[in-house]
Amino acid sequence: MPDASVASLFRNMAQGVHQYLAESLRICSVYLGIAVIVTVSMGFALPGLRDQALQVHKALLTALAPSSMQAGADSDAGSELGSDTASAIAMAVPTAPVSNATGMLGPARVAPPAPKKPATVATGPQAEALRNYISRKYKVAYDATGPLLNTVYKVSREKQLDPLLVLAVIAIESRYNPLAESHVGAQGLMQVMTSVHQDKFDAVGKNPLDPSANIGVGATILRDCINRRGSVDGGLACYVGSTGPDDNGYGAKVQAERRRLALASGIALARD
């Protein structure tokens, strides 16, 4: 009799284990099936969503950009970032700071023009690599990078700034979103405080969200900040609104992205 009881006990235990394993396998199969369905669905959906985002970004930049910015890569005489057969791109380098300039918020005295230094040169393949990097990393439509970069190079020469520095500021400020707006009212590619600098946009008759105007005003503020603080790092702290050297790591982020831009394109960094 005891042997029968033991056998019955083991049989019941075996049946219980069998039922538990069968139920576990069933549940695992259900979740695995759901995971496969979700994965396949995302595989079909995400490329379409990404393409839509790129199309929207391209449309925004094209719609907001002035004709001079749209011409960009297709012009014969002024093209800097056109096809592979385009001539080398002259990139402006920063000059020594002007000591008697004032800050970005106060009235500025007229400073003597900064002496121009020899420009560094980026070849067609380097410009192409730069466009590919920005397009891929920041999900910007490739066709929109040409006119965008043309504007950055043009403005950078006028303000005697390294274009890679301006591009890095845009990357950190807005991730190349021309419609970006912060909770404190900073707008556009370079996140300009419109409430403070509206007069600069009024002077050129442009909307703060116009990419070309936003880059122009942002670069002007950055140049004034560098002149005021006496260095690029100090200028970046000033640009982000820091009254002292502590900018909560903003300058380090910009400089790190600047180096990544240089590395990805093969363009030598300008000396600050």
Side-chain angles (χ1 to χ4, degrees), residues 58-66 70 210-211:
K58 177 182 177 181
L60 286 173
L61 285 179
T62 303
L64 292 173
Q70 292 174 356
D210 179 286

Side-chain angles (χ1 to χ4, degrees), residues 88-111:
I89 305 167
M91 295 180 61
V93 295
T95 58
V98 182
S99 59
N100 63 343
T102 59
M104 67 174 177
L105 299 181
R109 298 190 300 271
V110 178

Side-chain angles (χ1 to χ4, degrees), residues 15-263:
Q15 289 176 350
V17 171
H18 181 270
Q19 291 176 354
Y20 174 78
L21 291 176
E23 183 65 17
S24 299
L25 288 174
R26 186 183 70 81
I27 294 174
C28 290
S29 299
V30 170
Y31 281 110
L32 180 60
I34 293 173
V36 170
I37 293 173
V38 171
T39 301
V40 172
S41 299
M42 291 180 64
F44 283 105
L46 288 180
L49 293 175
R50 181 179 181 276
D51 291 341
Q52 288 180 359
L54 291 177
Q55 291 173 3
V56 170
H57 204 294
K58 177 182 177 181
L60 286 173
L61 285 179
T62 303
L64 292 173
S67 57
S68 61
M69 185 174 175
Q70 292 174 356
D74 296 329
S75 62
D76 293 330
S79 175
E80 295 173 336
L81 292 171
S83 65
D84 291 339
T85 59
S87 59
I89 305 167
M91 295 180 61
V93 295
T95 58
V98 182
S99 59
N100 63 343
T102 59
M104 67 174 177
L105 299 181
R109 298 190 300 271
V110 178
K116 292 186 177 180
K117 293 183 179 181
T120 57
V121 174
T123 63
Q126 288 174 329
E128 183 73 10
L130 184 60
R131 293 181 64 180
N132 284 327
Y133 172 81
I134 293 174
S135 176
R136 181 177 63 256
K137 181 173 180 179
Y138 296 101
K139 305 298 187 292
V140 179
Y142 175 82
D143 290 344
T145 60
L148 179 66
L149 294 181
N150 276 328
T151 297
V152 169
Y153 287 125
K154 178 178 180 294
V155 171
S156 297
R157 281 200 307 272
E158 293 172 354
K159 304 301 179 183
Q160 288 294 283
L161 292 168
D162 178 10
L164 294 185
L165 176 64
V166 177
L167 289 171
V169 169
I170 293 174
I172 300 303
E173 290 286 353
S174 68
R175 296 187 65 84
Y176 292 89
N177 178 5
L179 299 182
E181 182 169 352
S182 74
H183 67 282
V184 295
Q187 294 183 307
L189 290 170
M190 296 191 72
Q191 290 291 277
V192 178
M193 289 293 294
T194 308
S195 60
V196 178
H197 302 286
Q198 183 62 52
D199 60 320
K200 295 180 176 63
F201 292 104
D202 292 340
V204 296
K206 296 292 185 179
N207 186 292
L209 295 179
D210 179 286
S212 180
N214 196 276
I215 292 172
V217 172
T220 298
I221 297 169
L222 180 59
R223 178 75 266 173
D224 289 346
C225 280
I226 293 173
N227 290 346
R228 180 185 181 187
R229 296 290 180 89
S231 68
V232 170
D233 289 338
L236 290 172
C238 171
Y239 188 85
V240 79
S242 174
T243 57
D246 183 12
D247 59 3
N248 292 320
Y250 174 81
K253 292 178 182 178
V254 171
Q255 293 286 30
E257 180 58 21
R258 184 185 182 190
R259 289 190 293 271
R260 285 191 288 268
L261 287 163
L263 182 62

